[in-house]
Amino acid sequence: MTIKKRLFISNILMIVIPVVLAVIILIGSLLLFFVFAFPHSEYRLSFQKELTEMRYQVIDLVSNQLNETEPEKKADYEAELSKLLTENRMTLEVKDGQKVVLQSGTDTIPSQVQLEDALTALNGSGTVSDGNFDLFGTQINSNGTKYQINLYNPVITLSYDTLKAWVIGIGFFLIVILLFVIFLTNRFLTRFVFRRLSEPLQTLTEGVHQIRDGNLTHRIDYTEPDEFQSICDDFNDMAERLRDSVTQLQREEESRKELLAGISHDIRSPLTSIRAYVEGLLDGVADTKEKQTAYLTTIKKKTVEIDEMVRKLFLFSKMDIGEYPYTPEKLDAVKEITDFVRASAEEYQSQGLEIKIKTMPHKAIIIADPIYFRSILMNLFDNSAKYKDKKTGTVFIEAEIIGQFLKLYVDDDGPGVPEKALPKLFDVFYRNDPSRKNPNQGSGLGLAIVWKAVERMNGSICAENLPKCGLRMTIKIPLAEREQNI
């Protein structure tokens, strides 16, 4: 369940539960109030029945007392009658005409005039009431004498003060219970909602602490279908990117160190040679014109090597930071390859490298900077020329169109490289000669420049050893317009 739904349910229940319980408590309180203050007809009938039975019980005791002649029994009847009247808050008057022959019960006797006048109107028999007292009257004959029996009892009513006390008490009780119910409901609903907030927050906090402490492999496993799921997914994505970024920074730092080491080594080697030959010239070791010419030729060659290295380093640095001019245009890759091979074949032959073009499509239109594309070909051919192990090496170049891509294969018949070295061929200053003892095999910048150039074309490049011997470079470049390629 989402947090939004939980909050909605919580808000509804926060209103509904106290209201429902308050209504139930109010109804219960009113029922109790009416039960005790204004009894229902069933209770009233029951009370009237008991009152009627009690009245006739009093009449029987009065009759027994009047008819009894023995003093002891007469006193017993009188005591029993007095007890019964007192317990039930009744007052008894027995009259013979206007003469009161017996009075018993409570001391409170109401004003009798109106009640007795009303009872007289009923011929002395029946029940009359003024709202405060009931007067029950009847007539009996005892020993030939007719007696009038009047039995008073208070009417059970609720006074204003009592009613007010009831209302205040019920109201106070209702408020206290309502506050208690609200408190309990709030506690329950708070736990109901907060539990779904605290658990994922604690999980996220733990994840943040793990990342802060350097554990970049930590991931949050959260599967609840609520708002926190997307946050946890974003956290995992952030952690993954952060780990990749840190790994990339570490690789770049390692590459930077290797770059500095490579630059230092590769520049020191020709500089050492230049220094040695210059000292030879200054010390007069080259004492003939031929020796001096040879020394100066070597010095020139070494300066050319340094210049070429600095040029490639400058090119790579500019390409790496994206400041090297890149002006893409539509190129026919097949024509560019053919023209480049035709123009540079003789120069590479002088270096002991023969270039052969194999199968090619009729046309392959790509979006690329011509300078970048030619630098790719030049550096690949240069790499094959430097690392050949034969007097005359051969490079085969082939292309094909697969889907929306042009695939270019550059194969040589050189010694290849160890399998573990294949992923590092395009690193800056990497050479298959770990000790870098052979400076004639280049600086290791050529393939790094190729990788950067292919990357700018939104393409990819990879290296693999051929089954028998040699190395294959596979370049994949997206086509500009599929329909233009035949």
Side-chain angles (χ1 to χ4, degrees):
M1 184 185 296
T2 63
I3 297 174
K4 182 178 180 181
K5 289 183 179 179
R6 286 180 173 273
L7 288 174
F8 177 77
I9 294 174
S10 175
N11 292 334
I12 294 298
L13 293 179
M14 194 64 194
I15 298 173
V16 172
I17 292 178
V19 169
V20 170
L21 291 179
V23 170
I24 294 174
I25 294 171
L26 179 61
I27 293 174
S29 301
L30 291 177
L31 287 176
L32 290 175
F33 173 76
F34 282 107
V35 165
F36 289 102
F38 306 102
H40 290 107
S41 59
E42 296 179 359
Y43 295 105
R44 188 178 294 277
L45 290 174
S46 177
F47 176 75
Q48 290 295 337
K49 183 178 180 181
E50 291 179 1
L51 181 61
T52 300
E53 292 177 353
M54 195 179 303
R55 285 170 177 171
Y56 283 108
Q57 185 178 358
V58 170
I59 293 172
D60 289 340
L61 290 174
V62 170
S63 178
N64 291 335
Q65 183 185 12
L66 292 176
N67 292 327
E68 185 62 48
T69 56
E70 295 183 9
E72 292 182 359
K73 290 185 178 181
K74 195 174 185 70
D76 291 339
Y77 284 130
E78 185 176 357
E80 184 178 355
L81 180 61
S82 177
K83 181 180 179 182
L84 180 63
L85 294 171
T86 302
E87 288 178 351
N88 292 278
R89 299 173 61 191
M90 293 182 175
T91 301
L92 173 66
E93 283 187 342
V94 179
K95 292 184 178 181
D96 180 7
Q98 295 297 321
K99 180 181 177 182
V100 178
V101 297
L102 178 62
Q103 182 172 332
S104 181
T106 62
D107 296 334
T108 302
I109 300 177
S111 175
Q112 304 175 23
V113 177
Q114 293 181 348
L115 291 176
E116 289 184 357
D117 289 345
L119 186 62
T120 300
L122 296 176
N123 295 322
S125 297
T127 302
V128 295
S129 176
D130 62 0
N132 294 320
F133 286 89
D134 289 342
L135 173 60
F136 171 75
T138 187
Q139 296 176 353
I140 62 173
N141 291 314
S142 178
N143 297 323
T145 303
K146 188 176 183 180
Y147 295 96
Q148 175 67 36
I149 298 177
N150 294 335
L151 187 61
Y152 296 89
N153 65 273
V155 176
I156 300 177
T157 58
L158 195 66
S159 67
Y160 173 77
D161 292 337
T162 304
L163 179 63
K164 183 178 179 181
W166 267 90
V167 172
I168 293 174
I170 291 175
F172 179 76
F173 175 74
L174 183 62
I175 291 173
V176 171
I177 294 298
L178 185 60
L179 291 176
F180 182 70
V181 168
I182 291 175
F183 172 76
L184 290 181
T185 305
N186 181 65
R187 288 294 300 273
F188 169 74
L189 295 178
T190 299
R191 295 187 62 184
F192 173 74
V193 175
F194 185 72
R195 183 169 58 87
R196 285 300 177 187
L197 293 175
S198 61
E199 290 179 0
L201 284 175
Q202 182 64 33
T203 302
L204 282 170
T205 301
E206 176 64 22
V208 171
H209 290 168
Q210 290 288 337
I211 298 298
R212 179 198 63 188
D213 296 337
N215 183 12
L216 300 182
T217 61
H218 179 78
R219 299 294 180 268
I220 294 177
D221 184 17
Y222 190 81
T223 58
E224 292 294 332
D226 57 24
E227 291 82 354
F228 281 100
Q229 187 177 44
S230 61
I231 298 175
C232 293
D233 291 341
D234 291 342
F235 177 91
N236 291 336
D237 184 58
M238 177 201 69
E240 184 67 26
R241 293 187 181 186
L242 183 59
R243 188 183 68 171
D244 293 343
S245 177
V246 171
T247 303
Q248 180 65 24
L249 287 174
Q250 291 173 346
R251 280 201 302 264
E252 290 177 355
E253 178 65 18
E254 190 65 27
S255 297
R256 186 186 66 83
K257 293 178 180 179
E258 292 179 359
L259 176 64
L260 292 175
I263 292 174
S264 301
H265 185 279
D266 289 346
I267 290 181
R268 184 170 62 245
S269 296
L271 284 177
T272 301
S273 297
I274 292 172
R275 178 179 178 181
Y277 282 105
V278 170
E279 289 176 352
L281 289 172
L282 293 175
D283 294 341
V285 175
D287 52 2
T288 65
K289 187 69 173 178
E290 291 77 10
K291 287 184 179 181
Q292 291 175 357
T293 301
Y295 275 37
L296 291 173
T297 301
T298 303
I299 292 172
K300 180 182 177 182
K301 180 181 177 182
K302 296 300 180 182
T303 56
V304 170
E305 290 179 6
I306 294 176
D307 182 69
E308 180 67 15
M309 186 188 309
V310 171
R311 185 189 67 80
K312 286 187 176 181
L313 180 61
F314 177 79
L315 175 61
F316 176 81
S317 300
K318 286 294 185 180
M319 293 174 69
D320 192 38
I321 62 178
E323 292 185 0
Y324 190 82
Y326 182 73
T327 308
E329 60 183 65
K330 286 186 178 181
L331 293 179
D332 182 356
V334 175
K335 184 176 182 301
E336 288 292 328
I337 293 170
T338 304
D339 291 346
F340 181 82
V341 171
R342 186 181 300 116
S344 58
E346 185 176 346
E347 179 183 351
Y348 283 109
Q349 281 179 355
S350 66
Q351 300 177 27
L353 184 68
E354 185 178 357
I355 303 174
K356 293 184 178 181
I357 298 177
K358 297 178 70 176
T359 307
M360 287 280 179
H362 177 68
K363 183 189 293 185
I365 305 300
I366 62 173
I367 301 295
D369 188 319
I371 297 176
Y372 274 69
F373 189 76
R374 294 184 197 119
S375 71
I376 292 173
L377 298 175
M378 182 181 67
N379 282 288
L380 290 178
F381 294 157
D382 287 347
N383 193 68
S384 296
K386 290 172 184 175
Y387 286 94
K388 63 184 177 61
D389 58 353
K390 302 176 184 177
K391 184 177 180 180
T392 301
T394 306
V395 169
F396 300 92
I397 184 166
E398 182 181 2
E400 64 176 338
I401 293 176
I402 300 178
Q404 296 294 322
F405 294 92
L406 169 67
K407 273 198 169 183
L408 184 64
Y409 306 98
V410 179
D411 302 341
D412 63 29
D413 57 355
V417 298
E419 289 295 327
K420 64 179 182 180
L422 288 173
K424 299 181 180 181
L425 284 180
F426 303 101
D427 291 349
V428 183
F429 276 95
Y430 177 79
R431 289 202 309 225
N432 192 29
D433 174 20
S435 62
R436 307 182 70 87
K437 292 180 180 179
N438 189 357
N440 294 324
Q441 289 189 339
S443 62
L445 281 168
L447 292 183
I449 292 174
V450 171
W451 185 82
K452 283 292 181 184
V454 172
E455 184 183 43
R456 288 298 298 269
M457 299 176 190
N458 297 318
S460 62
I461 182 171
C462 63
E464 59 180 321
N465 286 312
L466 294 173
K468 293 183 179 180
C469 66
L471 187 68
R472 163 173 283 189
M473 296 290 183
T474 303
I475 302 173
K476 185 178 179 182
I477 302 174
L479 295 170
E481 297 179 11
R482 180 67 181 90
E483 62 273 15
Q484 293 184 9
N485 306 318
I486 301 174

